């Protein structure tokens, strides 16, 4: 947990709360470490601006229902569950029209409210997801990032499309896998890191490039560029070049976050090309979750190659260090193995 | 016509061509002057880079079919017609999947091929549009810019939506009119020019603002910003501020062209907001034309207030000067009154 | 209220309940009588199969919040509200993916649970709709049927479309009005009843026909039939003929309910024509409600001409008799004028 | 060719025509026999009403360009091509808005104009499709039926959806294959014929049922029925039962043709369920063709198992008899092996 406004996370005692009438108390079994958790650990500008310690971080989890409020009917103690970490206000235009992932007053697990890097976590029943028995714990604790990848991919039609994925971090790699088994045509992956390039091939990329280069992409597509471009890097240079790789009339989905402003030649790169661009945030509740459930139970290989580190929970700092060193794709922490 | 690579357009003799087997020769009766024609007249950087003189400019017209090729069945001599100025290659992915307005090899009337600032103009029959008798010549010669406005408006759902229109040039004003009779909720117009503000009210704007100001827009919408934003100004400052006026989950369509790059804070202004952005180019062939036909024959008032100047064709320079001086919204040139 | 399984409704004492933690207790001021209420009154086959007396009927209302549960934050006592009568289970695939109006376990106000033909009615806060002050009580108590009309119209694109509305009952007439101010092209109404035909013209129909006749419709459209057909009659003969009035590639939305099976020549009437057909049920929560709010505050005339009877609540039987006699379009009951 | 209005097809001399200015003359190498060809052979009621002998039947082909008109730029002699058999009029509302497959004046190859059961066939260049070298002739001559399957599948979202395919004829089996590699969740196939059931499993069906039974389908889906139902049988009983297998809010696409009218309880089976139904006709030009190209070059196994008979062209009657006997899925005729 983050106890003070500074670098680091510490182990501390977290009180176990009694769930409210519509809440579910979950005993956490496994959690994933997200880039967001690393930002909180490192206490960067974003974290310092958003986080109010003390806070338990973490939002990727699987666990067992321990207790439920009186108004909870969806699950019962003993059920294996994960959960959606975006908790909308429920009353605004977004929340009432199927866009609660974009609610302006959203509370995010492990960011605005107490997260899952703890023995127990509490969520409203409306955010709880009962896990299909065909999906194992390692996959189930990663519904959240896998859902980001799914939401990004499914924000435009992909059947038979030639797709450029810029940035092969964990979510980019998951997107490549989803495209590969989901009916896309050629998948072209971009990342300068040879380890990530190798993983991209394992996930099903047909072509791997060092950078987003318009001429190179046009050569490997048989239209005048990619039909669809997924920006998963947040890297300013890659971002701009990636727009040059999209064919006229193409579609773009943006997930990668940059810390700075990025300029485009909008006339040339967007307007005359007739592009459509989607900003991607969270997961569509709960269409994305049903899609994730389907893909995960049919294709376990969509996550398995990406878990490079499995650690007991009390060694979470080793996991963060592995991420910082670039050696890790996904780190999964096991609470049951932890010595706490 | 543009006879040399320099400022100005000159009157000159244009040979009347015999139409090819699938072409239609049209005797022009009225034409509109577009901002593009002004760029060609002024020989700015865009024009100098794109135009290859000698060229007859002009792409907004109505006229009478004079002659047709042997393979033309859609119209016959004597029919009153206008036409789509984007001529796709017909063979590329865009052209074969309903996106020929975004064809990479498109020829544009009056830009890449001889235009309609002439007694006669030739177009392929597939680009010819027979004009409904309920639509008069002043409206009919403006199908092209009215179609830009229609395409921009119809690129997202507008029924019951609160819409911000940034920039009240002719196309912005047309968009306001279309929104007003087309089922939108509140329409908020932005333009610093009092003449344009007055026209915006005439066209049906509910609120008129001097600039795109997030707080002001949130005050007059009853969500957390506009549902839809149409950028019709191309002004860099307005462009950036306009994104702050859109609610989370909202939609944006971009038509206005800027001569320079514009930077956004993509994370804050697009990605976390979950926006969808459309680059708008030309008109959807020919869905947009059918919609224009419908709106124009039911609502003549959508164009009438915007024609501020009617001139005989040989006084076209007076029209361009009126546009340069900011006094003109739309200038229509009448060939039948011309002394040539 | 329906006290026994037989024809009729009786006045009776209805206990005022204390709202549950997320419920809202509303003092009813006005209610509308729906065709469903008439079915319950008449105790037809559908009613006998679905209704379990004792039941308070009624689902169209406006009222004032009297009391709220501890978990209610959306409204407070004194607020003027209406409400969505379809209460989804909240846990099924439909409810979790934006289709709760089609929830298989839905409870419908005044059908499955106690309705609004009573001084007080209770609804969950998630179903409560706070009424905009620009919308008067007569309109506000009809959000429900107006929402059916809106949902039917908005289930396909209508801008510039030529639309056939088959059946000019109250909801069909509302649909005509929405089409008229919502950007449709020609609206062709079908009803054999001259009173309804006159109302159709008042609501904005361009053409009124006695019956759905393919040749007549093709004559007044300028495609090969209507782009869109809305079936609001439930009359088997009209239903079949109406399909012959739709152009190839057209769209159909079905709201009218028939008590019997209806046969189509699917190959000829649906498959070779490439039609799309929507079965329409309830209202999209809550997109439809926002659209209704927008249209009603901008166009009060969309409902006003359709209220043919205003009665104090204790004269509800006179209202039902007016509906049975065919003289009534919409009957509104005023609780404040009632002598009970 | 069909020389007279009676049962049978005869071999006859077909003159080789000189292509018109925009036409392409193709030397046929392989053709498939479609159910439509069998109808023409058998001279059933549909054929007798539509076909005007003398007519060369056949519309599924691959071949080599032999000659081109002066206005043809898309292909040149020697190119390997297939072609879209629906030739729209080019001028109607459907043809001008991306629905030319539903043109009311469409000419269909081998039905309304001379087909491909001949050494040479002529098509307009706009209907010609150049075949990717990764696709072999057996696959390429079946673009047409594979495109029917693709169009049916892609008419609604299928990613992660549980899909019921009713009828395992060749097109139904192709649809199962497309669903399997295209991102669908469980695929449930229905056909009483054990040979077809076996093929359904080979193509990737997860569950195979003898008939469309609501209870059985609900048991193998984990919603309240299938998300999507594709009707490929045209069998009246299966058609009606199949609607009972779809969950509320689900989607239906209809391709199978029945010779008789079929009645539904529309209120119960369509309206209260909130279904969307698509009538499927031909292929979307040319989105479907691009999707087919993509799927065929990545997944040759989508067609290979379905070709049960390969015959020289002059033995076409043996192929039709194999289809009549129920032993054949797809029959491919090879012109190069033919003794004519």
């Amino acid at each position: 947990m983050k106890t003070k406004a500074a670098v680091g996370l510490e182990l501390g005692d977290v009180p176990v709360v009694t769930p409210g009438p519509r809440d579910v108390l979950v005993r956490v079994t496994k959690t994933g470490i997200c880039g967001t958790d690393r930002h909180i650990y490192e206490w960067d500008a974003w974290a310092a601006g958003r986080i109010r310690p003390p806070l338990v971080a973490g939002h990727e989890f699987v666990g067992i229902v321990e207790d439920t409020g009186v108004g909870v009917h969806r699950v019962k103690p003993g059920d294996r569950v994960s959960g959606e970490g975006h908790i909308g206000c429920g009353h605004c235009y977004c929340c009432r029209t199927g866009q609660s992932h974009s609610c302006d007053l959203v509370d995010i697990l492990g960011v605005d409210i107490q997260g899952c890097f703890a023995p127990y976590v509490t969520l409203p029943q409306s955010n709880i997801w009962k896990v299909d028995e065909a999906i194992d714990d390692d996959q189930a604790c990663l519904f959240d990032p896998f859902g980001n990848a799914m939401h990004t991919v499914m924000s435009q039609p992909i059947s038979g499309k030639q797709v450029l994925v810029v940035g092969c971090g964990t979510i980019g790699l998951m997107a490549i896998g989803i495209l590969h088994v989901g009916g896309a045509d050629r998948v072209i992956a971009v990342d300068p890191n040879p380890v990530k390039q190798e993983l991209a091939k394992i996930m099903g990329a047909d072509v791997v490039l060092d950078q987003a280069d318009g001429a190179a992409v046009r050569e490997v597509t048989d239209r005048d560029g990619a039909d669809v471009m997924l920006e998963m890097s947040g890297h300013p240079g890659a971002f701009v070049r990636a727009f040059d790789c999209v064919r006229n009339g193409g579609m773009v989905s943006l997930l990668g976050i940059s810390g700075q402003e990025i300029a485009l030649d909008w006339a040339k790169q967007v307007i005359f090309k007739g592009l459509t661009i989607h900003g991607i945030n969270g997961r569509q509740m709960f269409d994305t979750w049903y899609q994730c459930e389907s893909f995960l139970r049919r294709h376990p290989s969509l996550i398995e190659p990406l878990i490079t580190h499995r650690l007991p929970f009390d060694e979470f700092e080793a996991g963060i260090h592995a991420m910082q060193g670039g050696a890790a794709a996904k780190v999964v922490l096991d609470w049951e193995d932890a010595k706490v």
Side-chain angles (χ1 to χ4, degrees), chain A residues 1-4 8-17 28 31 36-37 40-41 51-60 108-122 313 335:
Chain A
M1 68 186 293
K2 175 69 71 180
T3 52
K4 53 181 184 289
L9 286 169
E10 311 175 16
L11 293 174
D13 287 333
V14 183
V16 179
V17 299
V28 178
T31 73
T36 301
D37 301 313
I40 296 173
Y41 180 89
I51 306 295
R52 299 284 161 266
L55 178 82
V56 176
H59 53 275
E60 306 174 352
I108 300 183
L109 194 69
V111 172
D112 304 304
I113 60 171
Q114 303 305 315
C116 65
F117 285 175
Y120 294 92
V121 65
T122 302
F313 185 80
W335 191 263

Side-chain angles (χ1 to χ4, degrees), chain A residues 150-185:
Chain A
M150 185 68 76
H151 190 192
T152 309
V153 170
M154 294 301 169
S155 291
Q156 54 278 303
I158 53 137
S159 291
K161 301 294 184 187
Q162 305 188 359
V163 185
L164 182 70
V165 179
V166 179
C168 297
T170 309
I171 300 180
L173 290 166
M174 288 171 170
I176 292 169
I178 293 167
L179 290 161
H180 182 63
V181 302
D185 194 44

Side-chain angles (χ1 to χ4, degrees), chain A residues 44-268:
Chain A
D44 65 9
W46 170 82
R50 175 83 177 250
I51 306 295
R52 299 284 161 266
L55 178 82
V56 176
H59 53 275
E60 306 174 352
F61 74 95
V62 64
I64 305 293
V65 174
E66 180 81 15
D67 195 7
T68 62
V70 294
V72 172
H73 308 297
R74 180 171 293 163
V75 289
K76 60 181 188 311
D79 286 348
R80 193 168 61 117
V81 299
S82 182
E84 165 60 48
H86 283 217
I87 304 170
C89 77
H91 302 300
C92 70
Y93 188 88
C94 283
C95 283
R96 297 194 93 182
T97 60
Q99 301 181 302
S100 56
H101 58 291
S102 295
C103 170
D104 210 39
L105 302 172
V106 70
D107 278 333
I108 300 183
L109 194 69
V111 172
D112 304 304
I113 60 171
Q114 303 305 315
C116 65
F117 285 175
Y120 294 92
V121 65
T122 302
L123 270 182
Q125 77 165 331
S126 55
N127 283 54
I128 286 289
W129 185 263
K130 194 168 166 181
V131 177
D132 189 286
E133 61 188 17
I135 299 172
D136 71 23
D137 274 4
D138 280 352
Q139 298 172 292
C141 76
L142 300 178
F143 257 108
D144 178 292
F146 192 72
N148 289 137
M150 185 68 76
H151 190 192
T152 309
V153 170
M154 294 301 169
S155 291
Q156 54 278 303
I158 53 137
S159 291
K161 301 294 184 187
Q162 305 188 359
V163 185
L164 182 70
V165 179
V166 179
C168 297
T170 309
I171 300 180
L173 290 166
M174 288 171 170
I176 292 169
I178 293 167
L179 290 161
H180 182 63
V181 302
D185 194 44
R186 291 172 202 149
V187 178
I188 305 142
V190 173
D191 202 292
N193 180 333
V195 175
K196 298 298 172 68
Q197 291 188 348
E198 199 52 41
L199 281 169
K201 286 178 197 162
I202 290 170
M203 299 307 288
D206 297 286
V207 179
V208 177
L209 301 173
D210 285 334
Q211 66 169 355
D213 176 284
V217 169
R218 270 186 288 278
E219 199 173 316
V220 296
T221 55
D222 43 15
R223 354 284 201 201
D224 194 35
D227 297 312
V228 173
M229 185 269 279
L230 310 182
E231 213 301 310
M232 322 289 262
S233 77
H235 183 281
F239 186 101
V240 173
R241 285 191 303 274
F243 275 84
D244 293 329
C245 300
V246 187
R247 71 165 173 84
N248 285 5
M251 308 197 88
V252 170
S253 286
L254 306 174
L255 183 80
I257 297 300
S258 169
Q260 58 189 91
E261 296 195 344
I262 305 174
L264 286 185
D265 179 343
W266 290 83
K268 187 177 152 202

Side-chain angles (χ1 to χ4, degrees), chain A residues 266-340:
Chain A
W266 290 83
K268 187 177 152 202
Q269 291 181 295
V270 177
I271 298 174
F272 291 141
K273 292 181 87 160
L275 296 194
T276 298
I277 303 171
H278 298 99
I280 305 295
N281 178 29
R283 292 145 298 278
Q284 183 75 31
M285 299 172 209
F286 282 89
D287 309 75
T288 304
W289 285 79
Y290 284 105
Q291 290 176 312
C292 290
E293 176 183 76
S294 166
F295 276 66
L296 287 179
R297 66 187 173 195
R298 294 180 81 79
H299 306 286
S301 61
L302 290 175
I303 282 190
E304 182 55 32
L306 304 180
I307 303 180
T308 53
H309 293 67
R310 288 182 175 81
L311 298 169
F313 185 80
D314 50 323
E315 296 178 24
F316 72 91
E317 284 203 283
I320 286 181
H321 293 157
M323 292 167 74
Q324 290 172 326
K330 197 73 203 177
V331 178
V332 167
L333 303 175
D334 191 327
W335 191 263
E336 294 180 336
D337 294 343
K339 300 177 205 68
V340 286

